[in-house]
Amino acid sequence: MPLLDDEEGGRQVYTVAELTSELKDVIEGGFSSVWVEGEISNFKLYPSGHAYFTLKDEEAQVRAVMWKGLRNLLKFEPQDGDHVVCRGRLTVYEKRGEYQLSVEAMEPKGIGALQAAFEKLKEKLAAEGLFDLARKKPLPYIPWTVGIVTSPSGAVLRDMVRTINRRFPGLRIVFKPVAVQGEGAAQQIAAGIAEMNEYAKVDVIIAGRGGGSLEDLWAFNEEVVARAIAASRIPVVSAVGHETDFTIADFVADVRASTPTAAAEIIAPARVDVEEGVEEYVRRMSMELRDRMERGAMTVDDMGARLARAGRQTAGKLKDNLTAALRHLRALSPSAQLAHRRERVFNLDRRLVYGLTRVKEKKSAENESFMVRLASASPRMRVESLRETLGRQEDRLDEKLGAFMKSARNRFSMAAGKLDAVSPLKVLGRGYSIVTSPDGRKIIKSAASVKPGDGVKIRFADGETQAVIKRGGAPKQENLF
């Protein structure tokens, strides 16, 4: 309500504070949730994690802020020039008379946030050369130890293990259980790939999960996973979703498998095919030697040299196979199994600490966001604001009442002055007098109304006196001309 009345024309005048306070109530009450579309400019991320920026279009702009807890939930990193749609609420900062948009959700305009983030990260990593064929590592022909990074639940792990054991029985499998979707999944996958490299006893790594929506597969589109695959010294096979699903991990990996089962088939050759290949090689060598001997094209010395060379090659292969077998046996020994179990316990403990830290950070961010919203909606804050407003209104009411009383006193003084100016007492002061009956109740206005001997009272400016009429009658007419 207006605080002052302008006496000239009856205008109602607001103070700046009162006008701003009423606008704050109107704006914050009428725009508690609003969608705003615009272009980001002057985007600044402060050490606190809060982001301040401006939303603008061709005709106007509005300041905006996004608190840390809410910004961490974004699937993309906003930057100057991005055309976005924001959901938030309007708030007013009374001291500067400014309003701003407190952003609670943001997404790129014209494309889903996830797809936009996918395309932006894909373009960035491609420019860095992480997709180049020249940097991809070949897979070993027979990987004696296979590392699998995936979820412990579901059929994916069982299908891969079953396929590997069916195609090449005896291959050792090292499993790293991780979350494959949800908060913190990408960090777990990246850590699992790094741990496989630290273990240094794995010949190939399969990182994957079953099919799902873009949101479900999103952990394999995170930059942290892409860089973990690129940094791996061990060849990595990406096995995410179905044949039609593509992720950032697929482009960075050394080999992309259409499904997790297909990945197991790629890395584990069929043992029967390997054995048949060796038998075929031996058979062809024997036939060639026999043909040359029959044609006489090979001397005894030549045949001896060839046999010696073949023997050395065979001995070398046998040595390699024996070394691999011994390594495989050492891996299956009780001491190795115990060391593996001890390492797994250590990794699980580290994973637990990491998970608890992530949960703590997430809850802290959520709590911070909740406290911000709670503070803005707190009844106590509202009551304090209303109490301050009421106090200001009381002060202004007192001022207004004082001004009104002063004006009334002035008007009263002016009226008293005017009344005093026409008072009979003023006339008496100039030498006139008033004649009344002896009791003062009747004013004698004419000489004809009294007769000799009548008593009268005469009032002067400074007092009154009694008199007796000695001569009366009608007043004598005088000719003034």
Side-chain angles (χ1 to χ4, degrees), residues 262-296:
E265 293 178 347
I266 290 173
I267 62 101
R271 184 162 185 165
V272 62
D273 294 339
V274 174
E275 293 173 349
E276 290 177 356
V278 172
E279 292 176 358
E280 176 64 16
Y281 175 78
V282 173
R283 186 181 64 82
R284 287 168 53 193
M285 287 293 296
S286 299
M287 290 179 61
E288 182 178 355
L289 287 173
R290 187 169 55 254
D291 290 343
R292 287 179 177 271
M293 291 179 64
E294 290 177 353
R295 291 196 307 267

Side-chain angles (χ1 to χ4, degrees), residues 209-227:
R209 57 152 292 153
S213 64
L214 180 60
E215 291 80 1
D216 295 338
L217 306 181
W218 189 253
F220 291 88
N221 288 321
E222 295 278 4
E223 184 173 358
V224 63
V225 173
R227 297 201 178 278

